[in-house]
Amino acid sequence: MASNARLDHRNPLVIDTHELGRRPGALQRLTREVDAPRDLGIQGVVGVPEGAPMELELRLESVMEGVLVTGTARATAKGECVRCLEPVELELEADFQEMFTYPDADDRGRVIAEPGDDAEDDEDRLFVEDGLIDLEPVLRDAVVLALPMQPVCQEGCPGLCSECGARLADDPDHHHDAVDIRWAALQGFADSPEAGDKDEMSGAEAGVDEKQEK
């Protein structure tokens, strides 16, 4: 995509390609450890925390139309198990490859008079800007594709009890006795004192009252 703002060379995700020049076939390999940008992942599900260390291995290749970047990003992602809601950590490895086009070259590497005439094409392309390229949008896409949409703490996680919310992995024998709703009212009646017991209790109370009156 085209960008109106100038890139900041101090940003660790902005790479300087001046050493490559425009010599097709020229290669440059880089290894960097950077702090993860904010909102890197699937929001509310799993992602790399802002500021967490990320290791980048990059291969930059100069081609006719621009710079081809191939790389791998490694980091620790954190989230929540979708079944039992326990914290989840997983080692992330995301591979990516992207072409950064020279603003004055078309898809065949030919110089064009006025770059950016085709706005629709520009929206789908990344550009080399004053010899700099911004890896952040590429990294975001790669990380999202590498992360699980439904992270789990372990394969086969049984989740939570639907009745009381207990974590089933902690108590494999956890269960609740099922009660037929047709007998629920009778169950309550059976647990209460029987009618005869009530009469005996009433009689005993009456006798006590009579003695107190005498």
Side-chain angles (χ1 to χ4, degrees):
M1 64 185 70
S3 174
N4 294 324
R6 295 179 65 87
L7 298 180
D8 184 354
H9 69 277
R10 295 169 296 182
N11 184 333
L13 291 177
V14 172
I15 308 299
D16 190 332
T17 68
H18 284 99
E19 289 188 16
L20 284 176
R22 288 204 177 189
R23 303 182 306 276
L27 294 175
Q28 184 179 8
R29 297 182 185 274
L30 299 173
T31 299
R32 285 191 177 184
E33 184 171 297
V34 302
D35 294 338
R38 63 184 303 179
D39 301 328
L40 185 59
I42 305 171
Q43 189 171 8
V45 180
V46 63
V48 181
E50 182 179 0
M54 296 191 69
E55 181 184 336
L56 301 179
E57 291 185 3
L58 306 173
R59 178 180 185 271
L60 282 59
E61 181 179 1
S62 178
V63 294
M64 288 293 295
E65 61 268 33
V67 178
L68 178 65
V69 179
T70 305
T72 301
R74 297 183 180 88
T76 300
K78 296 183 179 182
E80 190 177 78
C81 177
V82 296
R83 298 178 186 172
C84 70
L85 308 183
E86 286 292 303
V88 172
E89 285 193 6
L90 56 93
E91 295 304 313
L92 170 73
E93 184 169 300
D95 297 323
F96 53 89
Q97 185 174 73
E98 190 67 47
M99 171 65 71
F100 289 81
T101 305
Y102 295 127
D104 59 352
D106 65 9
D107 291 336
R108 296 182 181 179
R110 297 175 302 191
V111 175
I112 54 180
E114 297 183 6
D117 286 345
D118 193 333
E120 292 185 3
D121 284 349
D122 286 355
E123 285 298 319
D124 297 328
R125 298 162 68 186
L126 294 171
F127 291 93
V128 180
E129 302 179 29
D130 297 327
L132 304 176
I133 59 176
D134 185 6
L135 290 181
E136 185 169 336
V138 179
L139 190 60
R140 288 188 180 280
D141 290 345
V143 167
V144 169
L145 290 175
L147 288 170
M149 296 297 293
Q150 295 187 319
V152 293
C153 59
Q154 60 182 349
E155 290 296 330
C157 172
L160 302 176
C161 173
S162 59
E163 295 190 35
C164 68
R167 187 169 181 263
L168 299 179
D170 296 333
D171 184 8
D173 297 326
H174 180 86
H175 70 283
H176 295 270
D177 294 329
V179 177
D180 192 321
I181 58 174
R182 294 173 296 179
W183 298 99
L186 294 179
Q187 181 68 33
F189 179 77
D191 293 337
S192 63
E194 295 183 359
D197 294 339
K198 291 182 179 179
D199 292 341
E200 291 178 1
M201 293 175 63
S202 299
E205 292 175 356
V208 171
D209 292 341
E210 290 177 0
K211 291 179 181 179
Q212 289 178 347
E213 290 177 1
K214 292 178 181 180

